[in-house]
């Protein structure tokens, strides 16, 4: 199972934050469909606007973060591919949420333009509330060399879910 955790973490005596963590392996290298990747279950779904531009995607059982498989995407050397892994989680408006994403990448010319995470706050009918959030990629790497996307947000009024991409 890929790791998407929601934990309560006491940051200080005034408030608690919820940790939203996901682990991605971003591949922008050649990927052969003949080498069918291992299958695993996940709470994440892959989404692309059209099948013609969808990158190869799979759950990578070999490259793991803290023992958890990675969600992988490969552009297969094409500049026009576009797609993302998506999960929707319940939230409580007014509560603080800390977003964490750990990823590795290869052959990406402009990492800050090509590898993004977003949080879309949604109301009870699935409608978008406010503008999407785009957590920042930190300059420093984790101790074991993973890139980190991290930021803390307060769920807006009327938000009942967060769509994480």
């Amino acid at each position: 199972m890929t790791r998407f955790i929601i934990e309560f973490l006491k940051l200080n005596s005034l408030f608690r934050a919820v940790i939203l963590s996901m682990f991605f392996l971003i591949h922008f290298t050649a990927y052969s469909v003949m080498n069918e990747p291992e299958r695993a279950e996940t709470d994440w779904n892959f989404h692309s606007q059209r099948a013609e531009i969808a990158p190869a995607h799979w759950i990578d059982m070999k490259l793991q973060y803290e023992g958890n498989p990675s969600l992988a995407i490969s552009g297969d050397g094409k500049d026009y591919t576009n797609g993302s892994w998506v999960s929707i989680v319940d939230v409580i408006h007014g509560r603080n949420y800390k977003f964490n994403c750990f990823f590795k990448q290869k052959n990406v010319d402009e990492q800050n333009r090509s590898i993004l995470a977003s949080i879309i706050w949604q109301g009870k009918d699935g409608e978008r509330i406010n503008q999407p959030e785009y957590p920042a990629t930190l300059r420093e790497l984790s101790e074991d060399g993973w890139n980190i996307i991290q930021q803390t947000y307060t769920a807006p009024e009327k938000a009942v879910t967060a769509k994480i991409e």
Side-chain angles (χ1 to χ4, degrees):
M1 189 93 145
T2 54
R3 183 172 177 181
F4 184 81
I5 59 170
I6 299 179
E7 297 175 6
F8 287 95
L9 172 68
K10 188 171 182 179
L11 294 179
N12 62 38
S13 60
L14 298 177
F15 68 96
R16 293 177 177 250
V18 174
I19 306 295
L20 305 175
S21 296
M22 64 180 165
F23 309 102
F24 282 103
L25 164 66
I26 308 296
H27 287 278
F28 284 89
T29 57
Y31 169 76
S32 172
V33 177
M34 288 188 223
N35 296 330
E36 191 67 22
E38 294 181 51
R39 298 284 178 211
E41 291 189 25
T42 181
D43 295 336
W44 292 82
N45 295 300
F46 186 79
H47 172 76
S48 182
Q49 294 84 351
R50 296 190 323 268
E52 301 84 27
I53 64 170
H57 57 280
W58 68 98
I59 298 171
D60 192 325
M61 303 299 288
K62 293 178 183 157
L63 183 61
Q64 298 189 359
Y65 182 83
E66 296 183 351
N68 297 286
S70 300
L71 302 174
I73 296 175
S74 174
D76 200 20
K78 301 171 190 156
D79 291 335
Y80 58 83
T81 61
N82 191 331
S84 61
W85 287 95
V86 178
S87 185
I88 298 176
V89 297
D90 293 334
V91 297
I92 299 171
H93 70 87
R95 187 166 286 174
N96 295 307
Y97 292 87
K98 183 176 182 182
F99 178 89
N100 284 315
C101 173
F102 300 89
F103 69 93
K104 289 195 175 193
Q105 52 82 21
K106 289 193 284 188
N107 301 332
V108 177
D109 292 333
E110 296 184 47
Q111 176 178 306
N112 291 333
R113 293 183 67 185
S114 300
I115 302 172
L116 302 171
S118 68
I119 302 169
I120 301 168
W121 304 106
Q122 297 176 322
K124 65 179 180 175
D125 296 325
E127 77 279 6
R128 188 178 86 186
I129 297 174
N130 293 352
Q131 295 299 314
E133 311 279 7
Y134 295 94
T137 301
L138 304 182
R139 292 181 184 211
E140 62 271 4
L141 301 176
S142 69
E143 289 179 11
D144 48 357
W146 288 72
N147 293 283
I148 305 167
I149 298 175
Q150 183 178 78
Q151 201 150 344
T152 301
Y153 298 97
T154 302
E157 190 173 330
K158 298 183 182 176
V160 296
T161 60
K163 181 178 181 182
I164 312 296
E165 298 184 322

